[in-house]
Amino acid sequence: MDKLVVRGGAPLHGEVAISGAKNAALPILAASLLTSRPVTVGNVPRLRDIATMLALLNDMGVSHSVEGDTVILDPSHIDRPVAPYDLVRTMRASILVLGPLLARCGEAVVSLPGGCAIGARPVDLHLKGLAAMGAEVEVKKGYIHARAKRLDGCRLVLDQVTVTGTENLLMAATLARGTTLIENAAREPEVSDLAHFLVSMGAQIEGIGSDVLKVEGVKTLSAAGGRYHVLPDRIETGTYLTAAALTRGAIRTLGTRPELLDAVLAKLREAGADITTGEDWIELSMPRRPRAVSFHTAPHPAFPTDMQAQLMALNCIAEGVGVVTETIFENRFMHVLELRRLGAQIAIEGNTAICTGVDKLTGAPVMATDLRASASLVLAALAAEGETVIDRIYHIDRGYEQIETKFSSLGAEIHRVC
Ligand code: EPZ
């Protein structure tokens, strides 16, 4: 099992190119099921989760070719509208094939995605929405069985904000009969990117970026031969910026979009970082010890849960006390136990973690538990004195492209051992 070995202490300096957003590329690739015409998607990050989604689509009969960061899919034949457990259990986002499969084929058999380290992760809102659109939905022996000759548009009010729930229902609505309103829709930029991709295929969607999406169903979609460019990864961007802040360095992130992570930039400025931005770049320098910041996670445009662990790592070495409240997932503090092994002082009270900054962390062996927790361990290790060995880093390979190469190019002492 691969490990990352990090020797901390060096401030990060230099430039790093940001990859395409994993959480936009995944629904966009799944959306290729909605058409029988070829689909070309650019700026696709090379990640384990992307490979899993392509394997899942291939298993259904959607072939693809890859040229650099561009994926060309041929969804002309779907042999079997089935997403098997052995693939779905390795990536919960596989649930994203449910809506498009049902809309394209009139049926779908998708394994229930299990829970994961950060929470139970139910999909009840996905199923409730599809049923409201006229689908017969049954769960048996660990599989979702959904059927509908053609879905009927209707008004959907989501009980709570769900990113992939919004995405599944949005994709299903594009081929439904009549109008669908999705209220309390997720506003994450990745949802909007999917919507723009669907519009580029001929879908009729209004309200993109708002919490009310209005969809006029059409009979067929086609990618009209265009190449869709996936938006940059705001969480990868925030991760590298936080690493620079935490090591008191100065970096520029390239090929990103500042407006995607306003809440994160606001917190980093509050911590004392000097931040300047351009159309497609963000520069951060932290000439002094960061100040601790308090925040709570919430749906976009508020502070993203996917950056909670990374900002907590910054709080571990900051001046003062930072209070972090996680409101999205019920178990997203797994990184706290590992950060404590590096000397962090963090007390947990329910869904709140109270971080008291220490002058320095000390390297130690730690274990990754989930994608963003792994990132926070890398960040803490970059600031720690001595060597840290991070085990089970297959978690991190799911969401960060060439992480050790990118950090090394910024001056970090980091390498992978197999
Ligand atoms: C998406 O997960 C992201 N994954 C997650 O990123 C991200 O943390 C999350 O949104 C929140 O922003 C992808 O986009 C592939 P939710 P998702 O449905 O859609 C509850 C990462 O690190 N809920 O918005 O699964 C749920 O339990 C990953 O890249 C229901 O109760 O999250 C949670 O408490 C981790 N019933 C809350 O809603 C449902 O049917 C938000 O979950 C659906 C969700």
Side-chain angles (χ1 to χ4, degrees), residues 4-8 377-378 381-382 386-390 412-415:
L4 281 178
V5 179
V6 181
R7 178 162 290 281
L377 295 179
V378 172
L382 290 171
E387 181 176 277
T388 299
V389 179
I390 305 169
E413 279 191 63
I414 179 172
H415 64 278

Side-chain angles (χ1 to χ4, degrees), residues 92-131:
R92 304 182 29 71
S94 308
I95 192 68
L96 285 164
V97 303
L98 175 62
L101 266 186
L102 182 58
R104 165 84 182 277
C105 307
E107 62 173 328
V109 180
V110 176
S111 167
L112 269 177
C116 73
I118 64 177
R121 312 287 295 273
V123 292
D124 56 309
L125 300 179
H126 301 233
L127 305 186
K128 192 174 162 190
L130 292 173

Side-chain angles (χ1 to χ4, degrees), residues 58-113:
N58 195 55
D59 199 56
M60 294 174 196
V62 178
S63 59
H64 71 274
S65 59
V66 179
E67 292 164 22
D69 69 3
T70 299
V71 176
I72 300 144
L73 301 116
D74 173 7
S76 52
H77 300 290
I78 296 177
D79 308 322
R80 47 190 249 123
V82 178
Y85 177 58
D86 61 329
L87 280 173
V88 173
R89 69 179 176 172
T90 64
M91 183 186 66
R92 304 182 29 71
S94 308
I95 192 68
L96 285 164
V97 303
L98 175 62
L101 266 186
L102 182 58
R104 165 84 182 277
C105 307
E107 62 173 328
V109 180
V110 176
S111 167
L112 269 177

Side-chain angles (χ1 to χ4, degrees), residues 22-23 121-125 160 162-164 306 328 372:
K22 166 179 84 80
N23 289 351
R121 312 287 295 273
V123 292
D124 56 309
L125 300 179
Q160 75 178 86
T162 162
V163 171
T164 50
D306 291 349
I328 305 291
R372 306 304 173 181

Side-chain angles (χ1 to χ4, degrees), residues 181-192:
L181 268 183
I182 304 175
E183 298 185 23
N184 199 23
R187 297 175 54 196
E188 272 65 10
E190 294 75 27
V191 178
S192 299

